Amino acid sequence: MTRRGVARALAALGAAAGALAAGTGCRDGADPGDRATIAVTRLGVPERGAVLAYRGPPGRPAMLGAIRLDPVDAGVVFTGTDSLRLDRTGRVLVSLDVIASGGTVRVTDTLQVGEPPEIVFDADTAGNRDIWAMRLDGSNRRRITTEASDDREPTAATGQVVFVSGRSGTIELWRAPLAGGAATRLTTTAEDEGAPAMSAAGDRLVWLTGPAPSLVRVGGADATGGARFAPAATTAPNNEEFSPTISRAGDRVAFTTIRSGRPQVFVGAVGGGSGSATLAVGDDSTFNSEPTFSPDGTRLVVTRTSLPPGMPDRNDLFVVTLSSGTRTRLTSTGTATQPAWLPDGRVVFRQPTALGPRLYWVDPARPERLVAIPSGGLAPRAVDGVR
């Protein structure tokens, strides 16, 4: 396992759209006065490759009937369900029949379908790990690094990718254009560097310096001014820290530590005093690791590892509200790890399949639905969203 997965330790949707106004007409005996109150809710971001779901008005005896698209080849309507998949970008008109007590009403939703967001990850290529990027639907897949050395653990913002590489003979941080091009070395130390994460503006970077113990540092975009993050007084013999992440605003850092004897997630403000980072997830028998901030910085997704007696370890993702510590389950497969919260509100993660490790995304507003991300036969690791 990588450092992001606490290797040496042991191991909404952004825009659920609001109500859609009732539309073009009323038929089958529906009360015309009822039309203004008929509305449905769309779940999902209108982008190529996305699956949208529509819900009838809450608290009303209504159901959805036929769904139609204009142009008709803009996507696929899943017959007998409330969902459709969008297969192209541009303007798309969705018409839905809402069946209520007074009859059937036609509701319309005009979409401007855009491109999916991008993610970066590392994957084995010709015997070593390289940095890759692609859109969430698997399109625009491209290899960013081609060195014979291992390049891994990427983070991306403002058109730049920062990653870990041993190409110089030591394990250092490097930076390259997201569009591809020559890489620049950022650090020159006697210790290993690892697990970088950037703020959305690309002006602040967190990373690990190790190897024993590995500790979180915060610095500028080029890793200058790197300072130990909120060091905590502890008598633990092993104060290792792992999987640091930084909020989009660049004002808070979360990381995993085993200072209590098992993995736990701490959060603190950038610039906070010594020991100012505090426990983010209540202390219990479950291991917590691999934090990632929500777009607004108020929540984390963490990997929670449980150890059922006589059974394999279980890893699932949970959403943690920082103000209250409330936890909400996001996955139930028992194999989800390495989450990355995208700017639009979805969460990308990695889990094994019969064909090898694969990436998926899940919408916290619809956690029952996991969507596979096509990776062209690659086995991605260390995924991150492009900020």
Side-chain angles (χ1 to χ4, degrees):
M1 296 179 63
T2 67
R3 287 178 170 180
R4 298 171 73 100
V6 197
R8 296 181 309 220
L10 306 157
L13 178 52
L20 307 173
T24 57
C26 151
R27 58 187 176 85
D28 295 343
D31 179 1
D34 205 31
R35 260 173 43 215
T37 64
I38 293 291
V40 297
T41 299
R42 182 208 321 139
L43 296 177
V45 172
E47 66 186 22
R48 187 185 66 245
V51 174
L52 304 184
Y54 289 88
R55 297 287 186 264
R60 295 177 54 87
M63 60 182 295
L64 299 183
I67 301 177
R68 302 172 181 82
L69 299 181
D70 181 17
V72 295
D73 63 350
V76 175
V77 175
F78 300 128
T79 304
T81 75
D82 59 0
S83 301
L84 62 93
R85 185 185 70 236
L86 299 169
D87 290 341
R88 55 175 279 181
T89 59
R91 184 180 181 276
V92 177
L93 183 68
V94 181
S95 299
L96 308 100
D97 290 342
V98 181
I99 305 168
S101 57
T104 302
V105 175
R106 178 68 52 81
V107 175
T108 60
D109 186 18
T110 301
L111 307 177
Q112 191 60 42
V113 182
E115 297 281 3
E118 283 201 318
I119 57 175
V120 289
F121 57 93
D122 67 57
D124 289 333
T125 312
N128 67 281
R129 292 165 70 174
D130 283 304
I131 307 301
W132 290 75
M134 67 181 179
R135 294 197 179 277
L136 211 58
D137 65 348
S139 64
N140 197 29
R141 189 181 304 114
R142 60 199 186 277
R143 182 177 172 184
I144 296 175
T145 65
T146 58
E147 291 288 322
S149 62
D150 274 357
D151 299 329
R152 51 187 170 83
E153 299 180 357
T155 181
T158 64
Q160 299 291 313
V161 181
V162 174
F163 57 95
V164 178
S165 179
R167 64 182 66 188
S168 64
T170 56
I171 307 301
E172 306 289 352
L173 300 183
W174 290 70
R175 181 175 60 199
L178 185 58
T184 303
R185 184 174 175 176
L186 299 183
T187 59
T188 306
T189 71
E191 297 182 299
D192 291 348
E193 316 295 335
M198 273 197 289
S199 62
D203 59 346
R204 190 160 277 165
L205 185 71
V206 296
W207 70 96
L208 295 177
T209 298
S214 56
L215 302 174
V216 177
R217 296 192 178 276
V218 182
D222 56 0
T224 56
R228 170 85 166 90
F229 174 73
T234 177
T235 58
N238 189 343
N239 192 29
E240 294 255 16
E241 296 171 354
F242 305 89
S243 56
T245 188
I246 191 166
S247 63
R248 286 178 54 81
D251 60 345
R252 304 180 86 183
V253 171
F255 62 97
T256 306
T257 178
I258 55 173
R259 64 187 57 166
S260 68
R262 64 174 180 275
Q264 294 177 305
V265 172
F266 279 68
V267 178
V270 172
S274 176
S276 61
T278 58
L279 188 65
V281 186
D283 192 3
D284 57 24
S285 60
T286 302
F287 302 151
N288 298 287
S289 63
E290 301 182 323
T292 177
F293 278 101
S294 64
D296 63 3
T298 63
R299 293 172 292 164
L300 294 174
V301 162
V302 301
T303 301
R304 286 173 62 82
T305 302
S306 58
L307 309 174
M311 299 179 64
D313 297 357
R314 290 189 58 84
N315 297 290
D316 275 303
L317 308 183
F318 281 73
V319 177
V320 180
T321 301
L322 291 174
S323 61
S324 64
T326 302
R327 300 189 298 266
T328 304
R329 179 182 289 273
L330 190 58
T331 67
S332 301
T333 63
T335 56
T337 60
Q338 298 185 10
W341 211 324
L342 302 184
D344 69 7
R346 281 172 285 186
V347 176
V348 174
F349 63 95
R350 180 180 186 261
Q351 70 178 14
T353 72
L355 299 177
R358 292 292 183 269
L359 298 180
Y360 293 78
W361 65 257
V362 61
D363 168 11
R366 301 173 64 196
E368 73 282 356
R369 183 172 178 273
L370 308 181
V371 181
I373 302 174
S375 58
L378 297 171
R381 295 189 280 194
V383 61
D384 197 14
V386 175
R387 299 167 180 83

